[in-house]
PDB file of all heavy atoms in Angstrom:
ATOM      1  N   SER K 165     -15.353   5.479  -5.004  1.00  0.00           N
ATOM      2  CA  SER K 165     -14.998   4.699  -6.186  1.00  0.00           C
ATOM      3  C   SER K 165     -13.484   4.693  -6.358  1.00  0.00           C
ATOM      4  O   SER K 165     -12.824   5.715  -6.220  1.00  0.00           O
ATOM      5  CB  SER K 165     -15.667   5.282  -7.429  1.00  0.00           C
ATOM      6  OG  SER K 165     -15.271   6.622  -7.616  1.00  0.00           O
ATOM      7  N   ARG K 166     -12.976   3.544  -6.719  1.00  0.00           N
ATOM      8  CA  ARG K 166     -11.525   3.362  -6.833  1.00  0.00           C
ATOM      9  C   ARG K 166     -11.002   3.989  -8.112  1.00  0.00           C
ATOM     10  O   ARG K 166     -11.528   3.764  -9.198  1.00  0.00           O
ATOM     11  CB  ARG K 166     -11.185   1.870  -6.791  1.00  0.00           C
ATOM     12  CG  ARG K 166      -9.692   1.558  -6.955  1.00  0.00           C
ATOM     13  CD  ARG K 166      -9.480   0.064  -7.081  1.00  0.00           C
ATOM     14  NE  ARG K 166      -8.097  -0.228  -7.415  1.00  0.00           N
ATOM     15  CZ  ARG K 166      -7.197  -0.649  -6.536  1.00  0.00           C
ATOM     16  NH1 ARG K 166      -7.530  -0.760  -5.275  1.00  0.00           N
ATOM     17  NH2 ARG K 166      -5.972  -0.923  -6.914  1.00  0.00           N
ATOM     18  N   ASP K 167      -9.933   4.803  -7.976  1.00  0.00           N
ATOM     19  CA  ASP K 167      -9.248   5.351  -9.149  1.00  0.00           C
ATOM     20  C   ASP K 167      -8.445   4.239  -9.822  1.00  0.00           C
ATOM     21  O   ASP K 167      -7.946   3.324  -9.164  1.00  0.00           O
ATOM     22  CB  ASP K 167      -8.294   6.480  -8.751  1.00  0.00           C
ATOM     23  CG  ASP K 167      -9.054   7.703  -8.269  1.00  0.00           C
ATOM     24  OD1 ASP K 167     -10.259   7.785  -8.559  1.00  0.00           O
ATOM     25  OD2 ASP K 167      -8.443   8.550  -7.596  1.00  0.00           O
ATOM     26  N   SER K 168      -8.328   4.319 -11.142  1.00  0.00           N
ATOM     27  CA  SER K 168      -7.541   3.323 -11.861  1.00  0.00           C
ATOM     28  C   SER K 168      -6.060   3.585 -11.636  1.00  0.00           C
ATOM     29  O   SER K 168      -5.618   4.730 -11.703  1.00  0.00           O
ATOM     30  CB  SER K 168      -7.844   3.395 -13.364  1.00  0.00           C
ATOM     31  OG  SER K 168      -7.549   4.682 -13.850  1.00  0.00           O
ATOM     32  N   PRO K 169      -5.297   2.524 -11.357  1.00  0.00           N
ATOM     33  CA  PRO K 169      -3.862   2.749 -11.159  1.00  0.00           C
ATOM     34  C   PRO K 169      -3.191   3.195 -12.438  1.00  0.00           C
ATOM     35  O   PRO K 169      -3.578   2.817 -13.536  1.00  0.00           O
ATOM     36  CB  PRO K 169      -3.360   1.361 -10.711  1.00  0.00           C
ATOM     37  CG  PRO K 169      -4.364   0.410 -11.244  1.00  0.00           C
ATOM     38  CD  PRO K 169      -5.685   1.123 -11.246  1.00  0.00           C
ATOM     39  N   LEU K 170      -2.167   4.016 -12.280  1.00  0.00           N
ATOM     40  CA  LEU K 170      -1.428   4.519 -13.435  1.00  0.00           C
ATOM     41  C   LEU K 170      -0.448   3.462 -13.924  1.00  0.00           C
ATOM     42  O   LEU K 170       0.078   2.673 -13.142  1.00  0.00           O
ATOM     43  CB  LEU K 170      -0.673   5.801 -13.052  1.00  0.00           C
ATOM     44  CG  LEU K 170      -1.563   6.949 -12.588  1.00  0.00           C
ATOM     45  CD1 LEU K 170      -0.682   8.094 -12.125  1.00  0.00           C
ATOM     46  CD2 LEU K 170      -2.486   7.420 -13.689  1.00  0.00           C
ATOM     47  N   LEU K 171      -0.237   3.470 -15.212  1.00  0.00           N
ATOM     48  CA  LEU K 171       0.752   2.551 -15.777  1.00  0.00           C
ATOM     49  C   LEU K 171       2.140   2.980 -15.357  1.00  0.00           C
ATOM     50  O   LEU K 171       2.500   4.146 -15.439  1.00  0.00           O
ATOM     51  CB  LEU K 171       0.637   2.535 -17.306  1.00  0.00           C
ATOM     52  CG  LEU K 171      -0.677   1.975 -17.877  1.00  0.00           C
ATOM     53  CD1 LEU K 171      -0.672   2.099 -19.389  1.00  0.00           C
ATOM     54  CD2 LEU K 171      -0.908   0.544 -17.434  1.00  0.00           C
ATOM     55  N   ASN K 172       2.905   2.041 -14.925  1.00  0.00           N
ATOM     56  CA  ASN K 172       4.262   2.349 -14.457  1.00  0.00           C
ATOM     57  C   ASN K 172       5.210   1.307 -14.998  1.00  0.00           C
ATOM     58  O   ASN K 172       4.999   0.102 -14.822  1.00  0.00           O
ATOM     59  CB  ASN K 172       4.300   2.360 -12.922  1.00  0.00           C
ATOM     60  CG  ASN K 172       5.673   2.723 -12.403  1.00  0.00           C
ATOM     61  OD1 ASN K 172       6.401   3.480 -13.010  1.00  0.00           O
ATOM     62  ND2 ASN K 172       6.015   2.163 -11.257  1.00  0.00           N
ATOM     63  N   ASN K 173       6.214   1.777 -15.677  1.00  0.00           N
ATOM     64  CA  ASN K 173       7.200   0.852 -16.237  1.00  0.00           C
ATOM     65  C   ASN K 173       8.151   0.323 -15.192  1.00  0.00           C
ATOM     66  O   ASN K 173       8.824  -0.664 -15.395  1.00  0.00           O
ATOM     67  CB  ASN K 173       7.981   1.554 -17.350  1.00  0.00           C
ATOM     68  CG  ASN K 173       7.080   1.921 -18.522  1.00  0.00           C
ATOM     69  OD1 ASN K 173       6.120   1.212 -18.801  1.00  0.00           O
ATOM     70  ND2 ASN K 173       7.391   3.033 -19.193  1.00  0.00           N
ATOM     71  N   GLY K 174       8.252   1.002 -14.060  1.00  0.00           N
ATOM     72  CA  GLY K 174       9.172   0.574 -13.019  1.00  0.00           C
ATOM     73  C   GLY K 174       8.698  -0.692 -12.333  1.00  0.00           C
ATOM     74  O   GLY K 174       7.506  -0.968 -12.232  1.00  0.00           O
ATOM     75  N   LYS K 175       9.610  -1.455 -11.854  1.00  0.00           N
ATOM     76  CA  LYS K 175       9.293  -2.711 -11.180  1.00  0.00           C
ATOM     77  C   LYS K 175       9.354  -2.512  -9.672  1.00  0.00           C
ATOM     78  O   LYS K 175      10.326  -1.990  -9.141  1.00  0.00           O
ATOM     79  CB  LYS K 175      10.291  -3.790 -11.603  1.00  0.00           C
ATOM     80  CG  LYS K 175       9.999  -5.154 -10.992  1.00  0.00           C
ATOM     81  CD  LYS K 175      11.039  -6.167 -11.430  1.00  0.00           C
ATOM     82  CE  LYS K 175      10.794  -7.524 -10.795  1.00  0.00           C
ATOM     83  NZ  LYS K 175      11.825  -8.499 -11.184  1.00  0.00           N
ATOM     84  N   ILE K 176       8.274  -2.893  -9.007  1.00  0.00           N
ATOM     85  CA  ILE K 176       8.212  -2.770  -7.554  1.00  0.00           C
ATOM     86  C   ILE K 176       8.694  -4.084  -6.947  1.00  0.00           C
ATOM     87  O   ILE K 176       8.048  -5.134  -7.095  1.00  0.00           O
ATOM     88  CB  ILE K 176       6.775  -2.450  -7.090  1.00  0.00           C
ATOM     89  CG1 ILE K 176       6.304  -1.139  -7.722  1.00  0.00           C
ATOM     90  CG2 ILE K 176       6.693  -2.383  -5.583  1.00  0.00           C
ATOM     91  CD1 ILE K 176       4.863  -0.816  -7.421  1.00  0.00           C
ATOM     92  N   GLU K 177       9.813  -4.048  -6.316  1.00  0.00           N
ATOM     93  CA  GLU K 177      10.409  -5.258  -5.774  1.00  0.00           C
ATOM     94  C   GLU K 177       9.937  -5.478  -4.346  1.00  0.00           C
ATOM     95  O   GLU K 177      10.096  -4.600  -3.491  1.00  0.00           O
ATOM     96  CB  GLU K 177      11.936  -5.153  -5.801  1.00  0.00           C
ATOM     97  CG  GLU K 177      12.509  -4.991  -7.199  1.00  0.00           C
ATOM     98  CD  GLU K 177      14.012  -4.888  -7.181  1.00  0.00           C
ATOM     99  OE1 GLU K 177      14.584  -4.944  -6.072  1.00  0.00           O
ATOM    100  OE2 GLU K 177      14.616  -4.776  -8.258  1.00  0.00           O
ATOM    101  N   PRO K 178       9.348  -6.647  -4.069  1.00  0.00           N
ATOM    102  CA  PRO K 178       8.935  -6.922  -2.693  1.00  0.00           C
ATOM    103  C   PRO K 178      10.136  -7.183  -1.806  1.00  0.00           C
ATOM    104  O   PRO K 178      11.164  -7.695  -2.257  1.00  0.00           O
ATOM    105  CB  PRO K 178       8.064  -8.183  -2.833  1.00  0.00           C
ATOM    106  CG  PRO K 178       8.581  -8.855  -4.080  1.00  0.00           C
ATOM    107  CD  PRO K 178       9.026  -7.748  -4.992  1.00  0.00           C
ATOM    108  N   ILE K 179      10.010  -6.829  -0.565  1.00  0.00           N
ATOM    109  CA  ILE K 179      11.095  -7.050   0.389  1.00  0.00           C
ATOM    110  C   ILE K 179      10.493  -7.320   1.761  1.00  0.00           C
ATOM    111  O   ILE K 179       9.495  -6.690   2.152  1.00  0.00           O
ATOM    112  CB  ILE K 179      12.049  -5.834   0.439  1.00  0.00           C
ATOM    113  CG1 ILE K 179      13.228  -6.116   1.370  1.00  0.00           C
ATOM    114  CG2 ILE K 179      11.314  -4.567   0.822  1.00  0.00           C
ATOM    115  CD1 ILE K 179      14.304  -5.057   1.319  1.00  0.00           C
TER     116      ILE K 179
END
Side-chain angles (χ1 to χ4, degrees):
S165 59
R166 178 187 172 102
D167 291 342
S168 59
L170 299 175
L171 295 177
N172 182 32
N173 296 328
K175 182 181 178 182
I176 301 175
E177 299 180 0
I179 184 172

